[in-house]
């Protein structure tokens, strides 16, 4: 992509046409003759009244974009009407009473077909002038491109590593020096011993004058006798692939050309040590927790690290050092998982760290399961029975629990069936001098005992 702009005309750059001298001589003689006739009363025209056939001078030739060119109108009678077959490329006044007009052509984007290799890119435009009496004259003009970089900018040689399929680097690269060369063209001629300004418009690079060593966003260099312009383009290290823009400007005229190019970004590979972590719990009922560090080598800092699991925390989020250092912390003993930490450097090179939290193999120590008996108080009359329910007992490691019951009162009997204990009172107990008596039944799982209080009247009705 190129963007061009024109500048002012300088001395020595006006296009010469072979026929111009002859036309000017003829015109001058005609003018002298007309004046002579007028002074002798021969009816010669005065002012802009010329008469005769209208002529447009030059009638052919080449003009260059951005350079003013003056045309002469000889003969005919004003006002003159002017037209152009390419008004957007070479605009002319619609009418004029003057015997001359000046135009400045634009750079043609579309050129004539059939041009030979190395031939100046140009486009033909026809200018027509019509005088008051209706006669016309035309000029066939070739509008030539007037680009500083008509023959293109080349980026070679270069310290950049070329693609695998070639032997020459095609683009400036991150951290590399590349020679920028162009052929400066003015009016179709190579411009030697001429100053040009290279200016950075966009991109992370600087220019270096290969002769003086001066560097910066803008340097001025001089073309050699062949019209070749050379400058060093130095790209900052570690930058990504991107489009950049430079400007080349002719110091004398101000004519400039902008050129877009691609900077090949830095490539990197980062290495993480270690890149696998496993945290194991102490028991089969808990997942592993804890902290550990990993280091990041190579690539371009700063480095970043992001966890994909909220139960795995990585700190800090960014490390500017070389190598980078990060800490992984597994925080949740109730969740076992395998997670990924994504590590990236400033050039988007990536690596991953795998973190696994696993349960241990050791079983936890068994714990006692409380023994519960309900209800734990009964009142029994003579010959009556009641039941209580038993749950729990044993330990967490127990597969089965066996219950038993005993009574301190021989008049009270117990029977156990599964989780049910039946307690029965027999006949009259021995008289103990009280209206009621209280005794106790004990229910046990072999390690724990729970009492059940039995209240009974001393006599039976």
């Amino acid at each position: 992509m190129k963007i061009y702009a024109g500048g002012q005309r300088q001395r020595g750059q006006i296009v010469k046409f072979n026929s111009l001298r002859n036309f000017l001589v003829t015109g001058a003689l005609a003018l002298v003759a007309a004046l002579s006739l007028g002074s002798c009363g021969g009816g010669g025209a005065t002012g802009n009244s010329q008469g005769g056939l209208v002529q447009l001078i030059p009638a052919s030739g080449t003009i260059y974009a951005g350079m003013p060119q003056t045309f002469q109108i000889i003969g005919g009678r004003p006002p003159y009407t002017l037209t152009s077959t390419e008004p957007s490329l070479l605009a002319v006044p619609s009418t004029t009473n003057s015997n001359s007009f000046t135009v400045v052509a634009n750079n043609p984007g579309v050129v004539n077909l059939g041009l030979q290799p190395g031939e100046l890119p140009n486009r033909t435009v026809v200018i027509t002038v019509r005088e008051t009496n209706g006669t016309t004259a035309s000029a066939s003009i070739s509008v030539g491109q007037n680009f500083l970089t008509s023959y293109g900018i080349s980026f070679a040689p270069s310290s950049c590593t070329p693609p695998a399929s070639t032997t020459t680097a095609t683009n400036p690269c991150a951290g590399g020096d590349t020679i920028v060369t162009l052929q400066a063209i003015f009016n179709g001629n190579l411009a030697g011993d001429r100053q040009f300004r290279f200016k950075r418009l966009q991109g992370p690079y600087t220019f270096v004058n290969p002769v003086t060593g001066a560097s910066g966003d803008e340097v001025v260099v001089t073309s050699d006798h062949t019209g070749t312009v050379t400058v060093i383009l130095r790209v900052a290290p570690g930058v990504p692939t991107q489009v950049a823009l430079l400007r080349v400007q002719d110091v004398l005229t101000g004519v400039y050309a902008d050129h877009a190019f691609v900077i090949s970004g830095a490539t990197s590979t980062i290495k993480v040590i270690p890149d696998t972590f496993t945290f194991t719990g102490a028991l089969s009922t808990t997942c592993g927790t804890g902290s550990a560090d990993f280091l990041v080598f190579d690539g371009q800092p700063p480095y970043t690290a992001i966890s994909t699991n909220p139960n795995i925390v990585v700190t800090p989020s960014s490390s500017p050092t070389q190598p980078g250092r990060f800490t992984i912390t597994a925080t949740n003993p109730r969740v076992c998982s395998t997670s990924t930490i994504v590590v990236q450097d400033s050039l988007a090179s990536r690596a991953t760290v795998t973190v696994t939290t696993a349960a241990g193999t050791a079983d936890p120590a068994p714990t006692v399961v409380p023994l519960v008996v309900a209800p734990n108080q009964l009142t029994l009359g003579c010959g009556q029975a009641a039941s209580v329910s038993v749950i729990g007992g044993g330990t967490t490691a127990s597969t089965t629990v066996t219950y038993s019951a005993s009574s301190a009162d021989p008049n009270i009997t117990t029977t156990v069936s599964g989780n049910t204990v039946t307690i029965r009172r027999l006949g009259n107990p021995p008289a103990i001098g009280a209206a009621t008596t209280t005794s106790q039944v004990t229910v046990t799982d072999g390690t724990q005992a729970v009492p059940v209080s039995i209240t009974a009247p001393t006599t039976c009705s």
Side-chain angles (χ1 to χ4, degrees):
M1 178 181 69
K2 298 179 180 177
I3 309 167
Y4 303 94
Q8 64 182 8
R9 179 181 62 182
Q10 66 168 13
R11 296 183 61 186
Q13 290 185 325
I14 300 178
V15 180
K16 297 181 179 179
F17 300 90
N18 294 330
S19 59
L20 178 58
R21 181 180 298 175
N22 295 335
F23 277 120
L24 291 176
V25 171
T26 302
L29 293 174
L31 180 59
V32 170
L35 292 173
S36 298
L37 290 174
S39 62
C40 296
T46 60
N48 286 334
S49 300
Q50 297 184 11
L53 294 176
V54 66
Q55 300 178 60
L56 189 58
I57 300 175
S60 63
T62 300
I63 66 175
Y64 291 87
M67 300 298 177
Q69 173 64 41
T70 299
F71 287 83
Q72 302 293 329
I73 303 175
I74 298 176
R77 294 183 180 278
Y80 302 103
T81 302
L82 299 167
T83 59
S84 169
T85 57
E86 297 274 1
S88 61
L89 177 61
L90 183 59
V92 296
S94 58
T95 60
T96 181
N97 288 309
S98 174
N99 298 117
S100 67
F101 62 93
T102 300
V103 295
V104 178
N106 294 317
N107 264 315
V110 179
V111 297
N112 293 331
L113 297 176
L115 295 175
Q116 298 301 310
E119 186 177 356
L120 174 69
N122 65 87
R123 184 166 182 82
T124 300
V125 179
V126 176
I127 299 175
T128 301
V129 57
R130 179 185 297 273
E131 52 95 26
T132 302
N133 293 332
T135 62
T136 62
S138 297
S140 180
I141 304 300
S142 293
V143 178
Q145 291 180 344
N146 192 22
F147 297 164
L148 287 175
T149 54
S150 292
Y151 290 38
I153 285 182
S154 63
F155 295 95
S158 175
S159 64
C160 300
T161 302
S165 59
T166 65
T167 58
T168 304
T170 56
N171 296 322
C173 68
D177 282 2
T178 301
I179 298 297
V180 180
T181 305
L182 64 86
Q183 300 298 116
I185 310 297
F186 280 95
N187 293 354
N189 299 312
L190 291 169
D193 193 27
R194 191 181 184 97
Q195 285 191 320
F196 296 89
R197 177 177 289 106
F198 282 76
K199 183 177 182 180
R200 182 183 71 85
L201 297 182
Q202 175 179 304
Y205 65 89
T206 56
F207 290 110
V208 179
N209 186 318
V211 177
T212 66
S215 64
D217 291 342
E218 186 176 308
V219 296
V220 176
V221 296
T222 303
S223 62
D224 63 16
H225 72 283
T226 68
T228 302
V229 185
T230 303
V231 71
I232 299 172
L233 190 149
R234 179 168 295 165
V235 181
V239 299
T241 298
Q242 58 193 281
V243 174
L245 192 64
L246 64 82
R247 173 170 292 176
V248 185
Q249 185 174 38
D250 176 58
V251 173
L252 185 61
T253 64
V255 174
Y256 67 87
D258 294 346
H259 185 86
F261 60 99
V262 175
I263 292 176
S264 297
T267 58
S268 66
T269 301
I270 60 175
K271 186 174 183 60
V272 178
I273 301 177
D275 60 0
T276 302
F277 295 87
T278 299
F279 298 96
T280 303
L283 301 172
S284 60
T285 55
T286 59
C287 301
T289 58
S291 297
D293 290 350
F294 67 85
L295 301 178
V296 185
F297 294 89
D298 303 329
Q300 183 72 32
Y303 306 99
T304 58
I306 301 174
S307 173
T308 60
N309 186 339
N311 297 306
I312 305 297
V313 179
V314 57
T315 56
S317 60
S318 177
S319 176
T321 61
Q322 173 67 278
R325 178 183 288 270
F326 296 90
T327 299
I328 293 173
T329 303
T331 61
N332 195 339
R334 295 181 297 277
V335 177
C336 296
S337 63
T338 297
S339 307
T340 299
I341 304 295
V342 179
V343 184
Q344 179 172 296
D345 73 349
S346 62
L347 301 178
S349 180
R350 295 184 180 88
T352 58
V353 177
T354 302
V355 182
T356 300
T357 59
T361 58
D363 293 329
T367 58
V368 175
V369 178
L371 181 66
V372 179
V373 179
N376 61 1
Q377 292 183 347
L378 295 175
T379 298
L380 300 175
C382 295
Q384 290 184 334
S387 297
V388 295
S389 296
V390 184
I391 58 173
T395 66
T396 53
S398 301
T399 57
T400 61
V401 179
T402 301
Y403 304 114
S404 63
S406 62
S407 173
D409 185 347
N411 202 41
I412 303 294
T413 62
T414 60
T415 303
V416 178
S417 176
N419 292 81
T420 301
V421 178
T422 302
I423 303 173
R424 182 180 298 277
R425 178 189 172 184
L426 302 179
N428 289 325
I432 58 176
T436 60
T437 183
T438 300
S439 61
Q440 180 175 288
V441 171
T442 300
V443 180
T444 182
D445 63 353
T447 57
Q448 304 175 71
V450 176
V452 178
S453 178
I454 308 298
T455 301
T458 55
T459 59
C460 300
S461 56

